[in-house]
Amino acid sequence: MTLAPAALLPLPVAIPLVICATLLATAHLLPGRIPDILALLAALAVAVLSAVIAVHAADGPLVYWFGGWEPRDGVHLGIGFSVDAASGWIAAFIGLLYALTFVFAWGFFDRTHGHFHILMLLFLAAMVGFCFTRDMFNLFVWFEVMSVAAFALTAYHLAESSLAGAINFTVVNSLAGFLMLGGIGLIYAQTGTLDYDGMAAAIAQTGRSPVVAGAFCLVAAALMIKGSIVPFQFWLADAHAVAPSPVSVIFSGSMVSLGLFGLAKVSAVVFGGSDQVQGALPVLLIGLGSATALLGGWMALLQRHLKRMLAFSTISHAGIMLTGLGALSAGGTGGMLVYVVGHGLVKGALFMIAGILLATQASIDEIALRGLGRGIWPAGIAMGLAGLLLCGLPIGILDQGTRLVQGGLSQQGHGIALAATAIGAALTGAAVLRAAGRIFLGLGPDPGDEAGAPSADEREKANRPLWLMLAPCCALLAVDVALPAGPIAHALPRAVSAFMRRPEAGMLAEGPGWLPWVSVAAALLGAGYGLFRKRLPAFVVRPVSASQSAPTRALEILHSGLIGDYAVWLAVGVAVIAAVLAMV
Amino acid sequence: MSAATNVLPYAVAAWLFGIGLYGIATSRNFIHLVGCLGVCQSATYVLLLGLGYRWGSIAPIFYDHPPGTPAVDPVMQALVLTDIVVGATLTALLLVLTVQAYKRGGSLNPEKLRPMRAGGKSGQSQGSSQVSDGGRQAS
Amino acid sequence: MSPRIRVALLALSGLILLPCAASVIAGLPAFGSKIALYGARINAITPEARHVANMVSAINFDLRGLDTLGEEFMLLAAITGTVVLLRGHRGEGLTGRAMRRPGRAVIPRSEATVLACRIAGPLTCLFGLYVVLHATVTPGGGFQGGVILASGTLLIYLGEGYSGWRDAIHSHWLDALEGGGALVFALCGLVPMLTGAAFMQNILPLGTLRDLFSGGLMLVENLGVAMAVTGGFTQLFLEFMEETRQAEEPDEPGEESA
Amino acid sequence: MSVILPLLFLLTAISGSAVVLVRDPVRQVFAIAINGLVLTILFDALQAPDVALSELAVGSAAVPLLFLVALMAVRTQPPGAES
């Protein structure tokens, strides 16, 4: 038993938990650097163990029953973990992201008796548990642990905007938790079990049932709130913009996409047998995903507060991932899984650059920082590269994910969604490149619409040498560029078939090769327009600014920061999902 | 048992969630808002325990009754227990955030206390009132 | 959005959701007609398999122990977060001793209050211990008992006053209690693995049904939860109380003597 | 038996609504405590003594207490004292 690879499954969750309980119990006894070291080791252990599990899961999912409660007579009595290769690799990626974040934050939180590390390790354990579990209520538990750790981390700076952002985040995500629990209650009453496979079997036998549809509506809404899909996206910009930069790395790099990962798993595995749900999914996911990709990209372009800009870019990319899911094909889902990793790597690196600027230049405002980045040009190179990767420069794993998503979309004939993914990526890339040009090259002395965007002064402790902060950032980008495309493309079809519990498809289709280049060109054009507006002839500038000012103002009004508005949008979103489900 | 009794618990759960959401949407005081969130949560308790109940059954504790006596669903009760812990932790965290936000922003009204706004109080002008980790050390 | 638009939009989505909710409710089994297979199955086999009378405790500590592990650490996250957020501006060094505001009169408590709290405090703690220890036989368990125990320490606050409370209870001990309890629970999962069993497999002798010491490993886990919850909630109360002591202005009548 | 439960459900709906509709936070604390008590009785009637016990400890004691302390902290703190 101990030698079987399946016996490893509890460890990536248990190790961070044990270490964080130990840290808390001995908090006041430990000398300064011990929490840093222990946290780093724990994250590395999680990454290595998850990778080992993923390798062993290549031939089929590994299953583990907690407490030895294996199913008896077809009834699932206990909680199980079931890890396919894709889930294992995602967990390994999360462990790596945490390890590099701990390096990035080395000594940053040394006055808090390891409390920061305790919260981060809990966050890590919850994410891994979320990836591995095969029990619906257990999924909810990890969802909530993740949320509670995130709420506290968001407000860490204790400034007015970070507290208000944290309150919005907490209220909206708590409502998400309640919706999810309600959905779990319904599906449990209907199927009499909490195990994914048990539920799937029961749902497949039920046929069309309003209870199943209602349960899916509630659970999907909850996971979309976590994944910041329109119209649930409002909390994200408030929270990610104000969290400390190491925390934002985790939020944008893994928490948001994990919500969509959960949605992919639940809709493919649990609700795979419900024709009603499967019929509604393309409409719902393609529609909402495209809207999210465009809105997030547009909002990103309008920002001057760097972390807020990156937050909106995360929203846009979450939309792209959702469209990949909406293709309902092996290619789309596989692309989405690869995209999660690639996006996490690039976005994590970008938030680290924002943290570097906060620490070295004591500002996060694009316009205030103009030209101030010249002294730290290596960060500028990293930011330029990350911006190009973000909009689709055809190298690296993010590009591979993009192509697969676009391949899935074009195969299913979703032309509009295909355009939305290209435009969304181009807009976010343009925003990042414009900021990089302004900060590190001193271009663009005359800001356009972004000058009217919200901003706030912020500083982060400048107690770390530049190389220590830059090294994990470059490591993330290097991993993104260097991960070999060939083996991934080779292993993906099998991994996706295990993930979706479907028969294996052949090689996955890739999108048209010119599309990423179009995105890159559009991003460069957009960034150039933002930086050289003054030098362009008036007949170009005037219609552009005239046509964008009205929608810009409307969008700013929508993102009001008022929790009451967000609650209403939440109800609207649930109503939209319910209406689509009812009409199928 | 009438038809109304058959659906009453579920209707009450839906009602509680709805009115809690209405309270959140219209609340003008963050502490009041946290209370409304608790009402939304009590909807989940009512739904889950309602789904786990069976007429004429005992509590799932076989102390006074021998094992085998028909009992209600213990799984739902275990889920609600976890849910109550979630509720308590969320309430505590939100109240802390509210108290701290009140100290910084001087108001409990969501309209006045907003995250980063273009024309808002926490815009450019605020200067050194932002407390960063470094600032915290000095204080 | 103005409040009126907001309510209108909410009403509109409510209107859309109403028929959907109605059809879901109509599709559910009638209230009180049946329970799920999973629960019925647990009721049928657990008393024999685990020798415990309380099914809810059996689920929380054995069948679905992993959920409780997650829940325990959720509590730990929330309390750590609360401490970080409340102490952030107060400074860590000040938390060790009672803060007394100069110029703030200590209003003496009435004899009756002190006496009542001195009687009620230990009684509450005793009841909490009873609830903790009878987890596997009667309603209650580590969580409920832990909250009651923490409330018992609050009665010390009412009886002995703030500084008495701070003298009696140290923040570090509470951290140790909370973290230690969580650690005990997590180790209850890992230690069985060393013997070749599954994570959190109940490998201890199970005792006899309806006996105080029935349930094997569940008793240890229950104790861990009780420790973590007692430490956690006491810490929570302590930090919240500290918050009211920060006043710049003279005291609020009734606060000290409450 | 079949009369008590529906009544308790209705009472829960009423006391929950009261928590929302009482707009003054100080009075709302009492509404919250009463709501916790009503839920406790309902849970006990639903044959869930474990849940009732925790709702009694958390919902009608600990949570209202936290609300009271938060209100006290807000009242003793002059607005904007930290900035």
Side-chain angles (χ1 to χ4, degrees), chain B residues 104-119:
Chain B
R104 303 294 181 299
S107 171
L108 283 173
N109 191 340
E111 301 272 350
K112 292 190 179 136
L113 195 80
R114 300 196 200 178
M116 226 186 298
R117 286 300 105 209

Side-chain angles (χ1 to χ4, degrees), chain C residues 102-190:
Chain C
R104 177 180 212 158
V106 177
I107 304 166
R109 277 160 297 279
S110 71
E111 292 287 319
T113 315
V114 174
L115 191 67
C117 289
R118 282 192 182 159
I119 296 171
L123 280 181
T124 310
C125 290
L126 214 61
F127 178 59
L129 274 177
Y130 173 86
V131 172
V132 168
L133 291 177
H134 286 73
T136 53
V137 279
T138 57
F143 174 71
Q144 294 93 331
V147 179
I148 296 172
L149 276 170
S151 317
T153 55
L154 246 181
L155 284 175
I156 304 181
Y157 167 75
L158 293 181
E160 310 296 323
Y162 182 75
S163 54
W165 207 48
R166 285 252 65 149
D167 287 344
I169 292 161
H170 291 270
S171 187
H172 295 326
W173 300 355
L174 295 177
D175 274 347
L177 196 63
E178 192 191 347
L183 191 64
V184 166
F185 201 146
L187 289 179
C188 281
L190 284 176

Side-chain angles (χ1 to χ4, degrees), chain C residues 82-83 86-87 90 95-98 150 153-154 157 162-175 230-245, chain D residues 65-66 69:
Chain C
T82 311
V83 170
L86 283 180
R87 276 190 204 160
R90 219 188 278 148
T95 51
R97 63 194 150 75
T153 55
L154 246 181
Y157 167 75
Y162 182 75
S163 54
W165 207 48
R166 285 252 65 149
D167 287 344
I169 292 161
H170 291 270
S171 187
H172 295 326
W173 300 355
L174 295 177
D175 274 347
T230 310
F233 269 82
T234 312
Q235 181 84 291
L236 200 66
F237 291 143
L238 193 74
E239 293 295 330
F240 262 80
M241 289 293 177
E242 191 82 45
E243 204 49 29
T244 62
R245 313 288 303 178
Chain D
L65 190 91
L66 292 180
V69 177

Side-chain angles (χ1 to χ4, degrees), chain B:
Chain B
M1 269 147 283
S2 66
T5 320
N6 287 341
V7 299
L8 181 68
Y10 316 132
V12 167
W15 166 258
L16 284 175
F17 193 86
I19 192 144
L21 203 63
Y22 164 78
I24 292 172
T26 56
S27 182
R28 284 184 296 277
N29 183 311
F30 267 128
I31 294 186
H32 173 261
L33 193 147
V34 179
C36 295
L37 195 69
V39 175
C40 282
Q41 181 151 37
S42 64
T44 61
Y45 307 157
V46 172
L47 176 71
L48 292 184
L49 286 182
L51 286 168
Y53 185 72
R54 184 170 55 184
W55 293 108
S57 302
I58 60 158
I61 297 170
F62 302 112
Y63 193 73
D64 298 324
H65 303 268
T69 322
V72 300
D73 191 345
V75 177
M76 284 299 192
Q77 301 193 4
L79 305 194
V80 176
L81 266 182
T82 306
D83 196 19
I84 288 179
V85 181
V86 174
T89 58
L90 287 176
T91 308
L93 258 181
L94 267 172
L95 287 176
V96 171
L97 291 173
T98 305
V99 169
Q100 294 287 29
Y102 175 77
K103 285 186 194 169
R104 303 294 181 299
S107 171
L108 283 173
N109 191 340
E111 301 272 350
K112 292 190 179 136
L113 195 80
R114 300 196 200 178
M116 226 186 298
R117 286 300 105 209
K121 185 173 167 286
S122 52
Q124 281 282 285
S125 61
Q126 212 180 358
S128 62
S129 75
Q130 301 275 338
V131 180
S132 69
D133 198 66
R136 180 188 289 191
Q137 244 185 344
S139 65

